[in-house]
Amino acid sequence: MPEGPAPAPVSQRLRVRYAKRGRLRFTSHRDISRAVERAVRRAGIPVAFSAGFTPHPKISYSGAAATGVASEAEYLEIGLTEPRDPARVRADLDAALPPGLDILDVVPVATAPGEARAARPSAFADRLEASEWRIRLDGVSPGDAAAAVAAFMAAEEIEVERLTKKGRRTFDVRAAVSTIEPDRRAAEAADAPCAILRMVVRHSTPAVRPDDILTGLRQVADLAPPSPPLVTRLAQGPLDAATGGLADPLDPDRETGPPHGEDAATGVGREPALPGDATSADAVSA
Amino acid sequence: MPVESIFPRLEPLLPRVQKPIQYVGGELNSQIKDWDEADVRWALMYPDAYEVGLPNQGVQILYEILNERDGVLAERTYSVWPDMEAVMREHGIPQFTVDAHRPVGAFDVFGVSFSTELGYTNLLTALDLAGIPLEAADRTGEHPIVLAGGHAAFNPEPIADFIDAAVLGDGEEIALAITEVIREWKAEGRPDGRDGLLMRLAASGGVYVPRFYDVSYLPDGRIQRVAPNRPGVPWRVEKHTVMDLDQWPYPKKPLVPLAETVHERFSVEIFRGCTRGCRFCQAGMITRPVRERSITTIGAMVDQGLKESGFQEVGLLSLSSADHSEIAEVAKGLGDRYEGTNTSLSLPSTRVDAFNITLANEFSRGGRRSGLTFAPEGGSERMRKVINKMVTEDDLIRTVTTAYENGWRQVKLYFMCGLPTEEDADVLAIADMARRVIRAGREATGRKDIRCTVSIGGFVPKPHTPFQWAAQCDHETVDRRLRALKDALRGDKEYGRAIGLRYHDGRPSIIEGLLSRGDRRVGKVIRAVWEDGGRFDGWSEHFSYERWTDCAAKALAGEPVDLGWYTVRERDEVEVLPWDHLDAGLDREWLWQDWQEAVDGTEVEDCRWTPCYDCGVCPTMGTEIQIGPTGKRLLPLSVV
Ligand code: B12
Ligand code: SF4
């Protein structure tokens, strides 16, 4: 049976940061991956394909925000058969995607000269230690929100229960939260009465998701928002122990020269758990 | 008057429903036009879930053609799932379009595309959510004209009370013509209101307005007469036929959804119509004659469609795609053009001959040869003569042998059960055929992993076919025959394990039969079912046979007719059929003669390759067969 010619090898890998905004926050991870594949074709980007009967474009995702959650910081990696100018790819891909799926940043993966190694998304996923979230709670007073946050931070441990793929599980949500605070200024500027929370949450197993934290807030302080919260992921990246903030995970690639330390480390075999829905939490490689 | 988007009210509710993305719109190549700049506004609906409705070609074509015109606006709407329906009712959100989220009730025309009758209850949900009175008679000047199209519109009588008008046949030209009539009527200040507009449409002879026709019945329940009830309304309404498909190369910019849908490919219709004359096939009868799209237009449409969409697969659509006069050249041309680009081609052809395999080989260049589909439709030679599926068992065996020799490992065979004159033996013959197929495959390849899947659908007699007079087979008989077939295959030690059997129980076909050949009295049944919660009848998890039989019994209690009368009863030549005043061009006498020949097992040829046998369509409709070969080549366009 004919197998067809061997696919062209990857000669350049690009890491892409994209946003999922507005009504497109209702796309699922599968919706996004189909949209990106089509956009890549429409934009004429020379994506590499896997071998085999049903070749797949080499596009891999590092964790994905859940359906319904907006994000300013989602990441994917594309393998190209011919090198392209990252700035052009950013513009072309963005133009080929529907408004609301927006390409923010494209950087070539730093590799040793002349060496194009197999994609190892887990190495990149390891840089995504935590996420910064913004949660808008319509109809909640800023005062109630502040009180709930204070009670949350004062607790040692907050056990919540959730249905996971492995059945009902109980886990602590407090430990994963490195900072959480109400954003009064943003709430005052909003178009309707609301409270806005900002927080940095470490990626752990099981993943602590924004709605788990809301469950926690409800448990410790009876905070019960009258309408569904509007959740946005603002950033992902390495956690800066000193500031409690997040660094840009693409920075190591921006530095020219030999590959970065952790790129060479053995990140394989460890499944990084990221926020987002359970199915899309793992790095999905094409 | 400005019409506001309901999206701000909808958005906070979306986290509460399944797959919210289907209600959000924003598909690539979708468009939003300015409301106030449009003189005529269409809301187009496919009355099934978004995942089924979005890929629908009919709606996409009309959407694009209408939006291309200045002063015309078209948006789309689909059936909402029951969870969304509940949320919308709770919050008073009306049926909305997915483009600009405008309320359907604000448009001039609400055009609904029925490729199957099983969407009728969904029509009622949409009307009700839109705030449009269910019965056409209760509507006023502020409500849209509810217009049905698609294949089921060739007998819209069961939904006659709920629609204002129906259009038979190809929609491209008539949709534009209707638009012009509405534009003029509005410009003149809407003379005589709603009836004035419907009257203008009806007088043209190309739009059916059920309310302008009275149906009278005989004491035994049969129809006595269908007659216009006001002057200026023609006795018969004709179907529309687009001649020269090259002039209508749509869709040019296919809609690409974010949500997952049943078809993720760019489809091009390579011809319309089919004259093979399969007697069970309504589509073949009502879309005559054959009109091919030329190889050059096909080549250009594929090129543009892929560039505009980014799709990775091309489907060449028609009722029997392998019959295109230049299909080999099309297949080879596309195969060459897209070699090495990971673009796959598919051809939904089920023709049973070796040529089909040559094509399939071309279409699977470099790919896996997993499964090939053939449709003998009838298990025994006799049965195939009755339905005019001209293929012998030896043909089939030769064809599958070639398929297996060419590396195909699995063959799918399509059949129908419950065909007119069918006996148990005809259905059991399917088992013999499947055994012979496996035996031939094993001999041809020397392999043991040869497989064959037998797929069986229940036959439903359809209007405008020679079987329109036939008694539908009752579901007990269908189920008994299928059980016997299953037992025969399961008991087969040698071949049984290599043969897969797929079938559904016969009960849904009875309801489909009621809706297909029903008359206006069936409207009461549909309404009762809908009021009882009936939705999404094409989905087995939503369909309830008991609900339909209970509601039919209640709704028809005062009538001399019942479910069985509509379905398992044979009609005689003189009976007035509910759709006799709707003209598909087919000569009634020819259809009757073909029905008689069916019972005798006499076959009829294809008029593409043999002389015209006077089915009536071409002279009545002023149409002609349009086929190649053109001798031209697919343009060797460069690939992106
Ligand atoms: C692709 C296809 C499918 C696909 C995609 C369906 C979809 N989303 O569109 C899938 C696989 C899902 C499918 C499923 C089914 N299908 Co199908 N399908 C087809 C196929 C191959 C092509 C349809 C097509 O795109 N035609 C081209 C378009 C342009 O034509 P059109 O939709 O009729 O639209 C034109 C006119 O009708 C008119 N028009 C249509 N709507 C409107 C509305 C208005 C207001 C106006 C003015 C005009 C208008 O204008 C359009 C342009 O001219 C046809 C065979 C064929 N070649 O036609 C079978 C066919 C339509 N399917 C058929 C059947 C039976 C089914 C199923 C019921 C099968 C089953 N038992 O489950 C289901 C029903 C699905 C559903 N719930 O709707 C039958 C219909 C039987 C009949 N009435 O004769 C056909 C004809 C096949 C056959 N030979 O039996 N199908
Ligand atoms: S009128 Fe004649 S040529 Fe035309 S479709 Fe009928 S049989 Fe064929």
Side-chain angles (χ1 to χ4, degrees):
Chain A
M1 210 168 304
E3 286 234 15
V10 173
S11 73
Q12 183 191 34
R13 288 190 291 138
L14 298 175
R15 284 193 177 130
V16 177
R17 173 180 174 180
Y18 66 97
K20 161 164 100 136
R21 293 171 170 154
R23 53 184 75 175
L24 264 67
R25 72 178 184 278
F26 295 109
T27 45
S28 71
H29 176 60
R30 287 161 60 86
D31 298 336
I32 289 175
S33 79
R34 274 193 317 274
V36 169
E37 276 178 34
R38 286 174 190 150
V40 162
R41 289 173 74 90
R42 272 161 41 84
I45 295 166
V47 65
F49 277 83
S50 64
F53 275 126
T54 43
H56 287 290
K58 294 206 169 177
I59 305 174
S60 58
Y61 297 81
S62 299
T67 307
V69 170
S71 177
E72 292 295 316
E74 301 292 290
Y75 293 90
L76 62 83
E77 193 169 309
I78 313 184
L80 303 188
T81 57
E82 293 161 35
R84 281 286 187 277
D85 171 22
R88 264 296 291 284
V89 170
R90 198 206 67 76
D92 291 351
L93 198 53
D94 190 49
L97 280 166
L101 282 183
D102 301 324
I103 304 293
L104 305 179
D105 201 354
V106 177
V107 298
V109 175
T111 48
E115 184 198 8
R117 290 168 321 139
R120 269 205 291 109
S122 55
F124 176 74
D126 283 351
R127 294 183 200 163
L128 307 181
E129 291 171 354
S131 286
E132 182 178 1
W133 301 98
R134 180 179 61 211
I135 305 183
R136 173 174 159 153
L137 302 166
D138 276 88
V140 170
S141 82
D144 287 354
V149 164
F152 187 96
M153 287 309 275
E156 287 276 290
E157 213 185 56
I158 304 170
E159 295 268 303
V160 305
E161 201 186 55
R162 165 158 59 88
L163 198 59
T164 70
K165 267 211 250 164
K166 292 174 188 150
R168 270 209 173 278
R169 293 202 40 187
T170 306
F171 52 93
D172 172 37
V173 295
R174 174 64 191 83
V177 176
S178 67
T179 66
I180 175 167
E181 57 198 26
D183 187 339
R184 277 181 189 271
R185 199 169 306 156
E188 278 159 21
D191 51 6
C194 67
I196 292 178
L197 305 179
R198 283 175 83 122
M199 62 197 73
V200 173
V201 183
R202 265 187 292 276
H203 299 167
S204 55
T205 315
V208 173
R209 310 191 303 198
D211 44 314
D212 296 324
I213 295 181
L214 290 174
T215 311
L217 287 167
R218 178 176 224 154
Q219 273 171 222
V220 295
D222 261 347
L223 189 75
S227 59
L230 201 62
V231 180
T232 308
R233 176 189 260 155
L234 298 173
Q236 291 192 77
L239 197 57
D240 185 326
T243 64
L246 297 177
D248 184 342
L250 295 178
D251 275 347
D253 295 302
R254 276 187 248 274
E255 295 156 15
T256 44
H260 221 70
E262 104 275 74
D263 235 20
T266 47
V268 195
R270 233 194 77 202
E271 297 270 88
L274 297 179
D277 58 20
T279 49
S280 58
D282 301 331
V284 185
S285 45
Chain B
M1 190 183 65
V3 167
E4 308 255 313
S5 164
I6 57 100
F7 197 73
R9 286 200 283 145
L10 183 68
E11 191 174 13
L13 305 170
L14 288 176
R16 292 172 46 185
V17 301
Q18 291 290 312
K19 298 191 194 161
I21 188 67
Q22 65 184 309
Y23 306 115
V24 161
E27 300 88 351
L28 191 71
N29 296 327
S30 62
Q31 359 185 351
I32 294 181
K33 291 178 83 171
D34 188 89
W35 184 262
D36 294 318
E37 273 170 25
D39 313 318
V40 181
R41 308 174 184 107
W42 287 69
L44 294 168
M45 176 176 205
Y46 192 86
D48 203 331
Y50 180 88
E51 63 193 75
V52 178
L54 181 111
N56 179 257
Q57 292 278 300
V59 169
Q60 288 204 20
I61 290 172
L62 298 178
Y63 176 76
E64 199 173 341
I65 286 177
L66 290 165
N67 276 322
E68 259 177 19
R69 310 289 137 148
D70 285 335
V72 186
L73 166 160
E75 302 195 7
R76 295 159 297 122
T77 183
Y78 305 94
S79 295
V80 299
W81 285 114
D83 64 341
M84 181 57 136
E85 185 189 336
V87 167
M88 287 164 71
R89 288 190 188 283
E90 184 187 330
H91 294 266
I93 292 180
Q95 179 80 23
F96 56 84
T97 60
V98 296
D99 299 284
H101 293 88
R102 288 164 174 149
V104 164
F107 288 74
D108 298 310
V109 190
F110 180 28
V112 190
S113 179
F114 290 102
S115 40
T116 153
E117 300 81 6
L118 298 172
Y120 291 162
T121 47
N122 283 1
L123 166 70
L124 297 190
T125 310
L127 287 174
D128 189 51
L129 285 173
I132 301 171
L134 294 186
E135 311 259 339
D138 299 333
R139 291 173 200 150
T140 67
E142 66 187 80
H143 299 117
I145 297 293
V146 179
L147 174 70
H151 289 183
F154 278 82
N155 176 26
E157 291 301 272
I159 49 168
D161 290 345
F162 315 126
I163 58 173
D164 294 293
V167 160
L168 282 61
D170 296 337
E172 288 85 346
E173 289 163 321
I174 185 67
L176 293 175
I178 291 173
T179 304
E180 283 320 305
V181 173
I182 296 175
R183 196 201 300 266
E184 274 173 28
W185 170 78
K186 283 174 87 172
E188 289 168 24
R190 308 175 187 244
D192 301 321
R194 194 177 181 79
D195 267 15
L197 173 58
L198 289 171
M199 193 57 213
R200 289 182 187 204
L201 293 172
S204 70
V207 179
Y208 175 51
V209 179
R211 212 147 42 84
F212 294 169
Y213 295 78
D214 286 336
V215 182
S216 53
Y217 301 94
L218 296 166
D220 67 3
R222 287 177 301 154
I223 293 175
Q224 182 180 36
R225 200 170 91 121
V226 180
N229 57 22
R230 61 195 74 193
V233 175
W235 281 83
R236 291 168 74 77
V237 180
E238 287 188 357
K239 77 159 176 180
H240 299 269
T241 312
V242 167
M243 296 306 291
D244 197 354
L245 288 189
D246 286 352
Q247 301 258 331
W248 298 93
Y250 297 88
K252 293 176 180 165
K253 296 181 164 209
L255 293 168
V256 187
L258 284 155
E260 193 164 7
T261 58
V262 290
H263 274 178
E264 304 270 328
R265 64 169 85 109
F266 175 57
S267 299
V268 178
E269 282 178 280
I270 61 172
F271 62 86
R272 281 195 188 158
C274 176
T275 38
R276 288 204 156 241
C278 300
R279 293 180 171 123
F280 54 84
C281 181
Q282 184 191 40
M285 293 289 161
I286 62 179
T287 60
R288 292 171 170 229
V290 171
R291 292 146 288 145
E292 285 188 358
R293 192 164 258 155
S294 72
I295 181 169
T296 36
T297 304
I298 295 170
M301 283 180 72
V302 171
D303 177 59
Q304 185 182 5
L306 287 183
K307 281 185 183 141
E308 291 286 348
S309 66
F311 280 132
Q312 224 178 318
E313 191 183 335
V314 179
L316 300 182
L317 270 188
S318 78
L319 285 167
S320 177
S321 293
D323 285 341
H324 189 284
S325 63
E326 285 173 302
I327 189 66
E329 292 80 358
V330 170
K332 167 129 192 4
L334 293 178
D336 289 349
R337 190 198 279 174
Y338 297 105
E339 181 115 49
T341 64
N342 292 298
T343 305
S344 60
L345 304 171
S346 72
L347 184 80
S349 171
T350 49
R351 225 173 92 172
V352 186
D353 58 29
F355 176 61
N356 205 357
I357 297 174
T358 314
L359 279 179
N361 290 345
E362 194 64 59
F363 275 69
S364 65
R365 257 195 230 178
R368 188 203 300 271
R369 295 195 169 164
S370 44
L372 261 190
T373 303
F374 301 100
E377 309 283 6
S380 67
E381 208 85 38
R382 189 193 72 79
M383 204 69 260
R384 288 193 296 277
K385 286 206 159 84
V386 169
I387 61 179
N388 201 41
K389 192 86 196 186
M390 294 199 279
V391 46
T392 65
E393 188 155 328
D394 290 342
D395 286 340
L396 178 82
I397 297 301
R398 256 194 307 278
T399 305
V400 297
T401 305
T402 317
Y404 289 126
E405 282 168 355
N406 277 272
W408 299 88
R409 288 285 162 263
Q410 164 139 350
V411 160
K412 224 194 254 175
L413 300 176
Y414 275 5
F415 295 93
M416 276 183 290
C417 182
L419 288 160
T421 78
E422 179 184 276
E423 289 175 11
D424 294 8
D426 295 306
V427 176
L428 282 172
I430 294 173
D432 300 333
M433 192 188 255
R435 286 190 201 106
R436 269 192 77 187
V437 164
I438 297 294
R439 197 181 316 135
R442 288 182 184 166
E443 278 166 16
T445 60
R447 299 172 65 119
K448 278 279 177 195
D449 64 347
I450 295 298
R451 280 193 57 83
C452 159
T453 308
V454 170
S455 235
I456 307 187
F459 167 68
V460 179
K462 295 272 169 157
H464 305 283
T465 68
F467 290 162
Q468 64 181 354
W469 290 280
Q472 183 171 355
C473 188
D474 62 84
H475 67 87
E476 289 88 353
T477 306
V478 168
D479 290 343
R480 182 171 47 75
R481 288 184 183 148
L482 290 175
R483 256 196 318 275
L485 174 64
K486 188 171 145 203
D487 292 343
L489 287 173
R490 199 192 287 157
D492 190 318
K493 292 266 172 331
E494 203 180 346
Y495 300 110
R497 299 188 56 140
I499 302 169
L501 182 62
R502 292 230 218 134
Y503 64 90
H504 298 289
D505 79 293
R507 298 185 308 171
S509 298
I510 291 292
I511 302 310
E512 208 187 320
L514 169 74
L515 299 175
S516 294
R517 290 194 295 173
D519 54 33
R520 293 189 181 183
R521 292 168 290 191
V522 171
K524 283 186 287 191
V525 183
I526 297 170
R527 181 157 185 171
V529 165
W530 177 78
E531 281 169 353
D532 193 49
R535 305 285 188 277
F536 288 92
D537 286 301
W539 297 70
S540 51
E541 59 268 49
H542 291 279
F543 176 81
S544 160
Y545 183 69
E546 287 70 29
R547 177 184 278 146
W548 275 97
T549 50
D550 289 354
C551 289
K554 274 184 222 135
L556 298 173
E559 306 278 355
V561 299
D562 59 13
L563 178 58
W565 188 88
Y566 284 107
T567 53
V568 299
R569 178 181 65 99
E570 185 170 336
R571 282 75 159 161
D572 65 21
E573 189 180 0
V574 296
E575 178 167 343
V576 177
L577 301 174
W579 51 90
D580 274 346
H581 57 300
L582 301 174
D583 195 356
L586 296 154
D587 186 67
R588 201 178 195 270
E589 275 166 40
W590 178 79
L591 280 178
W592 177 262
Q593 183 196 329
D594 203 41
W595 165 224
Q596 298 307 307
E597 288 181 0
V599 179
D600 297 342
T602 310
E603 294 162 311
V604 41
E605 298 279 337
D606 189 320
C607 61
R608 255 172 302 187
W609 307 300
T610 61
C612 168
Y613 45 78
D614 290 326
C615 78
V617 172
C618 292
T620 317
M621 296 292 146
T623 55
E624 59 179 12
I625 297 176
Q626 288 179 338
I627 54 172
T630 61
K632 299 216 175 87
R633 300 268 306 277
L634 189 74
L635 288 181
L637 297 162
S638 61
V639 174
V640 279

